[in-house]
Coordinates of all heavy atoms in Angstrom, one line a residue:
M30 N 9.9 11.4 9.0 CA 8.6 10.8 9.0 C 7.8 10.9 7.7 O 7.3 10.0 7.2 CB 7.7 11.4 10.2 CG 6.3 10.8 10.2 SD 5.3 11.1 11.6 CE 5.0 12.8 11.6
F31 N 7.8 12.1 7.1 CA 7.1 12.4 5.9 C 7.8 11.7 4.7 O 7.2 11.3 3.7 CB 7.0 13.9 5.6 CG 6.1 14.6 6.6 CD1 6.5 15.5 7.4 CD2 4.7 14.2 6.6 CE1 5.7 16.1 8.3 CE2 3.9 14.9 7.5 CZ 4.3 15.8 8.3
K32 N 9.1 11.4 4.9 CA 9.8 10.7 3.8 C 9.4 9.3 3.7 O 9.2 8.8 2.6 CB 11.3 10.8 4.1 CG 12.2 10.2 3.0 CD 13.6 10.1 3.4 CE 14.3 11.4 3.3 NZ 15.8 11.2 3.5
I33 N 9.2 8.6 4.9 CA 8.8 7.2 4.9 C 7.3 7.1 4.4 O 7.0 6.2 3.6 CB 8.9 6.6 6.3 CG1 10.4 6.5 6.7 CG2 8.2 5.3 6.4 CD1 10.6 6.1 8.1
I34 N 6.5 8.0 4.8 CA 5.1 8.0 4.3 C 5.1 8.3 2.8 O 4.3 7.6 2.0 CB 4.2 9.0 5.1 CG1 4.1 8.6 6.5 CG2 2.8 9.2 4.5 CD1 3.6 9.7 7.4
G35 N 5.9 9.2 2.3 CA 5.9 9.5 0.9 C 6.4 8.4 0.1 O 5.9 8.1 -1.0
I36 N 7.5 7.7 0.6 CA 8.0 6.5 -0.2 C 7.0 5.4 -0.2 O 6.8 4.8 -1.3 CB 9.3 6.1 0.5 CG1 10.4 7.1 0.2 CG2 9.7 4.7 0.0 CD1 11.7 6.8 1.0
N37 N 6.3 5.2 0.9 CA 5.2 4.1 0.9 C 4.1 4.4 -0.1 O 3.6 3.6 -0.8 CB 4.7 3.9 2.3 CG 5.5 3.0 3.1 OD1 5.8 1.9 2.7 ND2 5.9 3.4 4.3
L38 N 3.7 5.7 -0.1 CA 2.6 6.1 -1.1 C 3.1 6.0 -2.5 O 2.4 5.6 -3.5 CB 2.1 7.5 -0.8 CG 1.3 7.5 0.5 CD1 0.9 9.0 0.8 CD2 0.0 6.7 0.4
L39 N 4.4 6.3 -2.8 CA 5.0 6.2 -4.1 C 5.1 4.8 -4.5 O 4.7 4.5 -5.7 CB 6.4 6.9 -4.1 CG 7.1 6.9 -5.5 CD1 6.3 7.8 -6.5 CD2 8.5 7.4 -5.3
V40 N 5.5 3.9 -3.7 CA 5.5 2.5 -4.0 C 4.1 1.9 -4.3 O 3.9 1.2 -5.2 CB 6.1 1.7 -2.8 CG1 5.9 0.2 -3.0 CG2 7.6 2.0 -2.7
F41 N 3.1 2.4 -3.5 CA 1.7 2.0 -3.8 C 1.3 2.5 -5.2 O 0.7 1.7 -5.9 CB 0.8 2.6 -2.7 CG -0.6 2.6 -3.1 CD1 -1.3 1.4 -3.1 CD2 -1.3 3.7 -3.4 CE1 -2.7 1.3 -3.4 CE2 -2.6 3.7 -3.8 CZ -3.3 2.5 -3.8
A42 N 1.6 3.7 -5.5 CA 1.2 4.3 -6.8 C 1.9 3.5 -7.9 O 1.3 3.2 -9.0 CB 1.6 5.7 -6.9
V43 N 3.1 3.1 -7.7 CA 3.8 2.4 -8.8 C 3.2 1.0 -9.0 O 3.0 0.6 -10.2 CB 5.4 2.3 -8.4 CG1 6.1 1.3 -9.3 CG2 6.0 3.6 -8.6
Y44 N 3.0 0.2 -8.0 CA 2.4 -1.1 -8.2 C 0.9 -1.0 -8.7 O 0.5 -1.9 -9.4 CB 2.6 -2.1 -7.1 CG 2.0 -1.9 -5.8 CD1 0.6 -2.1 -5.6 CD2 2.7 -1.6 -4.7 CE1 0.0 -2.0 -4.4 CE2 2.1 -1.5 -3.4 CZ 0.8 -1.7 -3.3 OH 0.2 -1.6 -2.1
A45 N 0.2 0.0 -8.3 CA -1.1 0.2 -8.8 C -1.1 0.5 -10.3 O -1.9 -0.1 -11.1 CB -1.9 1.3 -8.1
L46 N -0.2 1.3 -10.7 CA 0.0 1.6 -12.1 C 0.4 0.4 -12.9 O -0.1 0.2 -14.0 CB 1.0 2.8 -12.3 CG 1.2 3.3 -13.7 CD1 0.0 4.0 -14.2 CD2 2.4 4.2 -13.8
L47 N 1.4 -0.4 -12.4 CA 1.8 -1.6 -13.0 C 0.7 -2.6 -13.2 O 0.6 -3.2 -14.2 CB 3.0 -2.2 -12.3 CG 4.3 -1.5 -12.4 CD1 5.4 -2.1 -11.5 CD2 4.8 -1.6 -13.9
I48 N -0.1 -2.7 -12.2 CA -1.2 -3.7 -12.3 C -2.2 -3.3 -13.3 O -2.7 -4.1 -14.1 CB -1.9 -3.9 -10.9 CG1 -1.0 -4.7 -10.0 CG2 -3.2 -4.6 -11.0 CD1 -1.5 -4.8 -8.6
V49 N -2.5 -2.0 -13.4 CA -3.5 -1.5 -14.3 C -3.0 -1.5 -15.8 O -3.6 -2.0 -16.7 CB -4.0 -0.1 -14.0 CG1 -4.8 0.6 -15.1 CG2 -4.8 -0.1 -12.7
R50 N -1.7 -1.2 -15.9 CA -1.1 -1.1 -17.3 C -0.7 -2.4 -17.9 O -0.8 -2.6 -19.1 CB 0.1 -0.2 -17.3 CG -0.2 1.3 -17.1 CD -0.9 1.8 -18.3 NE -1.4 3.2 -18.0 CZ -2.3 3.8 -18.7 NH1 -2.9 3.2 -19.6 NH2 -2.6 5.0 -18.4
T51 N -0.3 -3.4 -17.1 CA 0.1 -4.6 -17.6 C -0.9 -5.7 -17.8 O -0.7 -6.8 -18.3 CB 1.3 -5.2 -16.8 OG1 0.8 -5.4 -15.4 CG2 2.5 -4.3 -16.7
S52 N -2.1 -5.4 -17.3 CA -3.2 -6.4 -17.4 C -3.9 -6.3 -18.8 O -4.0 -5.2 -19.3 CB -4.3 -6.1 -16.3 OG -3.7 -6.2 -15.0
A53 N -4.3 -7.4 -19.2 CA -5.1 -7.4 -20.5 C -6.4 -6.8 -20.2 O -6.9 -6.8 -19.1 CB -5.3 -8.9 -21.0
V54 N -7.0 -6.2 -21.3 CA -8.2 -5.4 -21.1 C -9.3 -6.3 -20.6 O -10.1 -5.9 -19.8 CB -8.6 -4.7 -22.5 CG1 -9.9 -4.0 -22.4 CG2 -7.5 -3.8 -22.9
A55 N -9.4 -7.5 -21.1 CA -10.5 -8.4 -20.7 C -10.4 -8.8 -19.2 O -11.3 -9.1 -18.5 CB -10.5 -9.6 -21.6
D56 N -9.1 -8.9 -18.7 CA -8.9 -9.4 -17.3 C -8.5 -8.3 -16.4 O -8.1 -8.5 -15.2 CB -7.7 -10.4 -17.3 CG -8.0 -11.6 -18.1 OD1 -9.2 -12.0 -18.2 OD2 -7.1 -12.2 -18.7
R57 N -8.7 -7.0 -16.8 CA -8.2 -5.9 -15.9 C -9.0 -5.8 -14.6 O -8.4 -5.6 -13.6 CB -8.3 -4.6 -16.7 CG -7.6 -3.5 -16.0 CD -7.4 -2.3 -16.9 NE -6.3 -2.6 -17.9 CZ -6.2 -2.0 -19.0 NH1 -7.0 -1.0 -19.4 NH2 -5.2 -2.3 -19.8
G58 N -10.3 -6.0 -14.7 CA -11.1 -5.9 -13.4 C -10.7 -7.0 -12.4 O -10.6 -6.7 -11.2
F59 N -10.5 -8.2 -12.9 CA -10.1 -9.3 -12.0 C -8.7 -9.1 -11.5 O -8.4 -9.3 -10.3 CB -10.1 -10.6 -12.8 CG -9.7 -11.8 -11.9 CD1 -10.6 -12.3 -11.0 CD2 -8.5 -12.4 -12.1 CE1 -10.2 -13.4 -10.2 CE2 -8.1 -13.5 -11.3 CZ -8.9 -14.0 -10.4
S60 N -7.8 -8.6 -12.3 CA -6.4 -8.3 -11.9 C -6.4 -7.2 -10.8 O -5.6 -7.3 -9.8 CB -5.5 -7.8 -13.1 OG -5.4 -8.9 -14.0
I61 N -7.2 -6.2 -11.0 CA -7.3 -5.1 -10.0 C -7.9 -5.7 -8.7 O -7.4 -5.4 -7.6 CB -8.1 -3.9 -10.5 CG1 -7.3 -3.2 -11.6 CG2 -8.5 -3.0 -9.4 CD1 -8.1 -2.2 -12.4
A62 N -9.0 -6.4 -8.8 CA -9.6 -6.9 -7.6 C -8.7 -7.8 -6.8 O -8.6 -7.6 -5.6 CB -10.9 -7.7 -8.0
V63 N -8.1 -8.8 -7.4 CA -7.2 -9.7 -6.7 C -5.8 -9.1 -6.5 O -5.3 -9.1 -5.3 CB -7.2 -11.1 -7.4 CG1 -6.2 -12.0 -6.7 CG2 -8.5 -11.7 -7.5
G64 N -5.2 -8.7 -7.5 CA -3.8 -8.2 -7.4 C -3.6 -7.0 -6.5 O -2.8 -7.1 -5.6
M65 N -4.4 -6.0 -6.7 CA -4.3 -4.9 -5.8 C -4.7 -5.1 -4.4 O -4.1 -4.6 -3.5 CB -5.0 -3.7 -6.4 CG -4.2 -2.9 -7.4 SD -4.9 -1.3 -7.8 CE -4.8 -0.5 -6.3
G66 N -5.8 -5.9 -4.2 CA -6.2 -6.3 -2.9 C -5.1 -7.0 -2.1 O -4.8 -6.7 -1.0
V67 N -4.4 -7.9 -2.8 CA -3.3 -8.7 -2.1 C -2.2 -7.8 -1.9 O -1.5 -7.8 -0.8 CB -2.9 -9.9 -3.0 CG1 -1.6 -10.5 -2.5 CG2 -4.1 -10.9 -3.0
C68 N -1.8 -6.9 -2.8 CA -0.7 -6.0 -2.7 C -0.9 -5.0 -1.6 O 0.0 -4.7 -0.8 CB -0.4 -5.3 -4.0 SG 0.4 -6.3 -5.2
I69 N -2.1 -4.5 -1.5 CA -2.4 -3.5 -0.4 C -2.3 -4.2 1.0 O -1.8 -3.6 1.9 CB -3.8 -2.9 -0.6 CG1 -3.8 -2.0 -1.9 CG2 -4.2 -2.1 0.6 CD1 -5.1 -1.5 -2.3
F70 N -2.9 -5.4 1.1 CA -2.9 -6.1 2.3 C -1.4 -6.4 2.8 O -1.0 -6.1 3.9 CB -3.6 -7.4 2.2 CG -3.5 -8.3 3.4 CD1 -4.2 -8.0 4.5 CD2 -2.6 -9.4 3.4 CE1 -4.1 -8.8 5.7 CE2 -2.5 -10.2 4.5 CZ -3.3 -9.9 5.6
F71 N -0.6 -6.9 1.9 CA 0.8 -7.2 2.2 C 1.6 -5.9 2.5 O 2.5 -5.9 3.4 CB 1.5 -8.0 1.1 CG 1.1 -9.4 1.2 CD1 0.7 -10.1 0.0 CD2 1.2 -10.2 2.3 CE1 0.3 -11.4 0.0 CE2 0.8 -11.5 2.4 CZ 0.4 -12.1 1.2
H72 N 1.3 -4.8 1.8 CA 2.0 -3.6 2.0 C 1.7 -3.0 3.4 O 2.6 -2.6 4.2 CB 1.6 -2.6 1.0 CG 2.6 -1.4 0.9 ND1 2.6 -0.7 -0.3 CD2 3.4 -0.9 1.7 CE1 3.5 0.3 -0.1 NE2 4.0 0.2 1.1
V73 N 0.4 -3.0 3.8 CA 0.0 -2.6 5.1 C 0.6 -3.5 6.2 O 1.1 -3.0 7.2 CB -1.5 -2.5 5.3 CG1 -1.9 -2.2 6.7 CG2 -2.0 -1.4 4.3
M74 N 0.5 -4.8 6.0 CA 1.1 -5.7 7.0 C 2.6 -5.6 7.1 O 3.2 -5.7 8.2 CB 0.8 -7.2 6.6 CG -0.7 -7.6 6.8 SD -1.2 -7.4 8.5 CE -2.4 -6.2 8.4
L75 N 3.3 -5.3 6.0 CA 4.7 -5.1 6.1 C 5.1 -3.9 6.9 O 6.0 -3.9 7.6 CB 5.3 -5.0 4.6 CG 6.8 -4.9 4.5 CD1 7.5 -6.1 5.0 CD2 7.2 -4.6 3.1
N76 N 4.3 -2.8 6.7 CA 4.5 -1.6 7.5 C 4.3 -1.9 9.0 O 5.0 -1.4 9.8 CB 3.6 -0.5 7.0 CG 4.1 0.2 5.8 OD1 5.3 0.5 5.8 ND2 3.3 0.5 4.9
L77 N 3.2 -2.6 9.3 CA 3.0 -2.9 10.7 C 4.1 -3.8 11.3 O 4.5 -3.6 12.5 CB 1.6 -3.6 10.9 CG 0.4 -2.7 10.6 CD1 -0.9 -3.6 10.6 CD2 0.3 -1.6 11.6
V78 N 4.5 -4.8 10.6 CA 5.6 -5.7 11.1 C 6.9 -4.9 11.3 O 7.6 -5.0 12.3 CB 5.8 -6.9 10.2 CG1 7.1 -7.6 10.5 CG2 4.6 -7.8 10.3
T79 N 7.2 -4.0 10.3 CA 8.4 -3.1 10.4 C 8.3 -2.2 11.6 O 9.3 -2.0 12.3 CB 8.5 -2.3 9.1 OG1 8.6 -3.2 8.0 CG2 9.8 -1.5 9.2
A80 N 7.1 -1.7 11.9 CA 6.9 -0.8 13.0 C 7.1 -1.6 14.3 O 7.8 -1.1 15.3 CB 5.5 -0.2 13.0
I81 N 6.7 -2.8 14.4 CA 6.8 -3.6 15.6 C 8.3 -4.0 15.8 O 8.8 -4.0 16.9 CB 5.9 -4.9 15.5 CG1 4.5 -4.5 15.6 CG2 6.3 -5.9 16.6 CD1 3.5 -5.6 15.3
V82 N 9.0 -4.3 14.7 CA 10.4 -4.6 14.8 C 11.2 -3.3 15.3 O 12.1 -3.5 16.2 CB 11.0 -5.0 13.4 CG1 12.5 -5.0 13.5 CG2 10.5 -6.4 13.1
F83 N 10.9 -2.2 14.8 CA 11.5 -1.0 15.3 C 11.1 -0.6 16.7 O 11.9 -0.1 17.5 CB 11.3 0.2 14.4 CG 12.1 0.3 13.1 CD1 11.5 0.4 11.9 CD2 13.5 0.2 13.2 CE1 12.3 0.4 10.8 CE2 14.3 0.2 12.1 CZ 13.7 0.3 10.9
L84 N 9.9 -1.0 17.1 CA 9.5 -0.8 18.5 C 10.4 -1.7 19.5 O 10.8 -1.2 20.5 CB 8.0 -1.2 18.7 CG 7.4 -1.0 20.0 CD1 7.4 0.5 20.4 CD2 6.0 -1.6 20.1
V85 N 10.6 -2.9 19.0 CA 11.5 -3.8 19.8 C 12.9 -3.3 19.9 O 13.5 -3.4 20.9 CB 11.4 -5.3 19.3 CG1 12.5 -6.1 19.9 CG2 10.0 -5.8 19.4
L86 N 13.4 -2.7 18.8 CA 14.7 -2.2 18.7 C 14.9 -0.9 19.4 O 16.0 -0.4 19.7 CB 15.2 -2.0 17.3 CG 15.4 -3.3 16.5 CD1 15.7 -3.0 15.1 CD2 16.4 -4.2 17.1
G87 N 13.8 -0.2 19.7 CA 13.8 1.1 20.5 C 13.9 2.3 19.6 O 14.3 3.4 20.1
K88 N 13.7 2.2 18.3 CA 13.7 3.4 17.4 C 12.4 4.0 17.3 O 11.6 3.7 16.5 CB 14.2 2.9 16.0 CG 15.4 2.1 16.0 CD 16.6 2.9 15.9 CE 17.8 2.0 15.8 NZ 19.0 2.6 15.5
K89 N 12.1 4.9 18.3 CA 10.7 5.5 18.4 C 10.3 6.3 17.2 O 9.1 6.3 16.8 CB 10.6 6.4 19.6 CG 10.9 5.7 20.9 CD 9.7 4.7 21.2 CE 10.0 4.1 22.6 NZ 9.1 3.1 22.9
A90 N 11.2 7.0 16.5 CA 10.8 7.8 15.3 C 10.4 7.0 14.2 O 9.4 7.3 13.5 CB 12.0 8.7 14.9
F91 N 11.0 5.8 14.0 CA 10.6 4.9 12.9 C 9.3 4.2 13.2 O 8.5 4.0 12.3 CB 11.7 3.9 12.6 CG 13.0 4.5 12.0 CD1 14.2 4.4 12.6 CD2 12.9 5.2 10.7 CE1 15.3 5.0 12.0 CE2 14.0 5.7 10.1 CZ 15.2 5.6 10.8
V92 N 9.1 3.9 14.5 CA 7.9 3.3 14.9 C 6.7 4.1 14.5 O 5.7 3.7 13.9 CB 7.9 2.9 16.4 CG1 6.5 2.4 16.9 CG2 9.0 2.0 16.7
K93 N 6.7 5.4 14.9 CA 5.6 6.3 14.6 C 5.4 6.5 13.1 O 4.3 6.4 12.7 CB 5.9 7.6 15.3 CG 4.8 8.6 15.3 CD 4.9 9.7 16.3 CE 5.6 10.9 15.7 NZ 5.6 12.1 16.5
S94 N 6.5 6.6 12.4 CA 6.4 6.8 10.9 C 5.7 5.6 10.3 O 4.9 5.7 9.4 CB 7.8 7.0 10.3 OG 8.4 8.2 10.8
F95 N 6.1 4.4 10.6 CA 5.6 3.2 10.0 C 4.1 2.9 10.4 O 3.3 2.4 9.6 CB 6.5 2.0 10.2 CG 7.7 1.9 9.3 CD1 8.9 2.3 9.7 CD2 7.5 1.6 7.9 CE1 10.0 2.3 8.9 CE2 8.6 1.6 7.1 CZ 9.9 1.9 7.5
F96 N 3.8 3.2 11.7 CA 2.4 3.0 12.1 C 1.5 4.0 11.4 O 0.4 3.7 10.9 CB 2.3 3.2 13.6 CG 2.5 1.9 14.4 CD1 3.2 1.9 15.5 CD2 1.9 0.7 14.0 CE1 3.4 0.8 16.3 CE2 2.1 -0.4 14.7 CZ 2.8 -0.4 15.8
I97 N 2.0 5.3 11.3 CA 1.2 6.3 10.5 C 1.1 5.9 9.1 O 0.0 6.1 8.4 CB 1.8 7.7 10.8 CG1 1.6 8.1 12.2 CG2 1.2 8.7 9.8 CD1 2.3 9.4 12.6
S98 N 2.2 5.4 8.5 CA 2.2 5.0 7.1 C 1.2 3.9 6.8 O 0.5 3.9 5.8 CB 3.6 4.6 6.7 OG 3.6 4.3 5.3
A99 N 1.1 2.9 7.7 CA 0.1 1.9 7.6 C -1.3 2.4 7.7 O -2.2 2.0 7.0 CB 0.4 0.8 8.6
G100 N -1.5 3.3 8.7 CA -2.8 3.9 8.9 C -3.2 4.8 7.7 O -4.4 4.9 7.4
V101 N -2.3 5.4 7.0 CA -2.7 6.2 5.8 C -2.9 5.3 4.6 O -3.8 5.5 3.8 CB -1.5 7.2 5.5 CG1 -1.7 7.9 4.2 CG2 -1.5 8.3 6.6
L102 N -2.0 4.3 4.5 CA -2.1 3.4 3.3 C -3.3 2.6 3.2 O -3.8 2.3 2.2 CB -0.8 2.6 3.3 CG -0.6 1.8 2.0 CD1 -0.4 2.8 0.8 CD2 0.6 0.9 2.1
A103 N -3.8 2.1 4.4 CA -5.0 1.3 4.4 C -6.2 2.0 3.8 O -6.8 1.4 2.8 CB -5.3 0.8 5.8
P104 N -6.6 3.2 4.2 CA -7.8 3.8 3.6 C -7.5 4.3 2.2 O -8.4 4.2 1.3 CB -8.2 4.9 4.5 CG -7.0 5.2 5.4 CD -6.2 3.9 5.4
V105 N -6.3 4.8 2.0 CA -6.0 5.3 0.6 C -6.0 4.2 -0.4 O -6.5 4.3 -1.5 CB -4.7 6.1 0.6 CG1 -4.2 6.3 -0.8 CG2 -4.8 7.4 1.4
G106 N -5.4 3.0 0.0 CA -5.4 1.9 -0.8 C -6.8 1.3 -1.1 O -7.1 0.9 -2.2
F107 N -7.6 1.3 -0.1 CA -8.9 0.7 -0.2 C -9.8 1.6 -1.1 O -10.5 1.1 -2.0 CB -9.6 0.6 1.2 CG -11.0 0.0 1.1 CD1 -11.2 -1.3 0.8 CD2 -12.1 0.8 1.3 CE1 -12.5 -1.9 0.7 CE2 -13.4 0.3 1.3 CZ -13.6 -1.0 1.0
V108 N -9.7 2.9 -1.0 CA -10.5 3.8 -1.8 C -10.0 3.8 -3.2 O -10.8 3.7 -4.2 CB -10.5 5.2 -1.2 CG1 -11.0 6.2 -2.2 CG2 -11.2 5.3 0.1
T109 N -8.7 3.7 -3.4 CA -8.2 3.6 -4.8 C -8.6 2.3 -5.4 O -8.9 2.3 -6.6 CB -6.6 3.7 -4.7 OG1 -6.3 4.9 -4.1 CG2 -6.0 3.7 -6.1
W110 N -8.6 1.2 -4.7 CA -9.0 -0.1 -5.2 C -10.5 0.0 -5.6 O -10.8 -0.5 -6.7 CB -8.8 -1.1 -4.0 CG -9.2 -2.5 -4.3 CD1 -8.5 -3.4 -5.2 CD2 -10.3 -3.2 -3.7 NE1 -9.2 -4.6 -5.1 CE2 -10.2 -4.5 -4.3 CE3 -11.2 -2.9 -2.8 CZ2 -11.1 -5.5 -3.9 CZ3 -12.2 -3.8 -2.5 CH2 -12.1 -5.1 -3.0
L111 N -11.3 0.6 -4.8 CA -12.7 0.7 -5.2 C -12.9 1.6 -6.4 O -13.8 1.2 -7.3 CB -13.5 1.3 -4.0 CG -13.8 0.3 -2.8 CD1 -14.6 1.1 -1.7 CD2 -14.6 -0.9 -3.3
I112 N -12.2 2.7 -6.5 CA -12.4 3.5 -7.6 C -11.9 2.8 -8.9 O -12.6 2.9 -9.9 CB -11.6 4.9 -7.4 CG1 -12.3 5.7 -6.4 CG2 -11.4 5.6 -8.7 CD1 -11.5 6.9 -5.9
L113 N -10.8 2.1 -8.9 CA -10.3 1.4 -10.0 C -11.2 0.3 -10.4 O -11.4 0.0 -11.6 CB -8.9 0.9 -9.8 CG -7.8 2.0 -9.8 CD1 -6.4 1.4 -9.4 CD2 -7.7 2.7 -11.2
L114 N -11.8 -0.4 -9.4 CA -12.8 -1.4 -9.7 C -14.1 -0.8 -10.4 O -14.6 -1.4 -11.3 CB -13.2 -2.2 -8.5 CG -12.3 -3.3 -8.1 CD1 -12.8 -4.0 -6.8 CD2 -12.2 -4.4 -9.2
S115 N -14.5 0.3 -10.0 CA -15.7 0.9 -10.6 C -15.4 1.4 -12.0 O -16.2 1.4 -12.8 CB -16.2 2.1 -9.7 OG -15.3 3.2 -9.8
I116 N -14.1 1.8 -12.3 CA -13.8 2.2 -13.6 C -13.6 1.0 -14.5 O -14.1 1.0 -15.7 CB -12.5 3.1 -13.6 CG1 -12.8 4.4 -12.9 CG2 -12.0 3.3 -15.0 CD1 -11.5 5.2 -12.6
Y117 N -12.7 0.0 -14.1 CA -12.3 -1.1 -15.0 C -13.1 -2.4 -14.7 O -12.9 -3.3 -15.5 CB -10.8 -1.3 -14.8 CG -10.0 -0.2 -15.3 CD1 -9.2 0.5 -14.4 CD2 -9.9 0.1 -16.6 CE1 -8.4 1.6 -14.8 CE2 -9.1 1.2 -17.1 CZ -8.4 1.9 -16.1 OH -7.6 3.0 -16.5
G118 N -13.8 -2.4 -13.6 CA -14.4 -3.7 -13.3 C -15.6 -4.0 -14.1 O -16.0 -5.0 -14.5

């Protein structure tokens, strides 16, 4: 369970870093606002869809891990998004 949550948070950190580092200085606030917002939304939705698929398949351990991962990623992603917007926006 902790492995799946850790991998999801690591993936989140990697794309957050890529968005911040590869954006031009003038467009960094807009890139963070739109790019990270879309990435966080799709990441959380992908975790929820994956959990539902594993629920249908009957893999209870994976279901719990992906639901918890989506529940952790949503507030962590939102707070990180707000912090980065306040810094670079």
Side-chain angles (χ1 to χ4, degrees):
M30 175 166 69
F31 291 114
K32 185 188 282 188
I33 292 173
I34 295 169
I36 289 171
N37 275 307
L38 288 175
L39 181 67
V40 168
F41 165 72
V43 167
Y44 68 70
L46 182 69
L47 284 174
I48 289 172
V49 171
R50 291 291 176 200
T51 59
S52 302
V54 175
D56 298 331
R57 194 167 284 161
F59 181 75
S60 296
I61 289 171
V63 174
M65 275 194 63
V67 168
C68 286
I69 291 167
F70 174 76
F71 283 129
H72 198 159
V73 171
M74 288 299 120
L75 183 65
N76 277 318
L77 290 175
V78 167
T79 305
I81 292 170
V82 168
F83 280 127
L84 182 65
V85 170
L86 293 176
K88 309 271 183 167
K89 298 290 183 188
F91 289 121
V92 172
K93 190 162 93 171
S94 297
F95 280 105
F96 273 136
I97 291 173
S98 183
V101 167
L102 191 63
V105 167
F107 181 71
V108 169
T109 305
W110 180 70
L111 284 177
I112 290 171
L113 288 174
L114 273 179
S115 69
I116 293 171
Y117 295 112

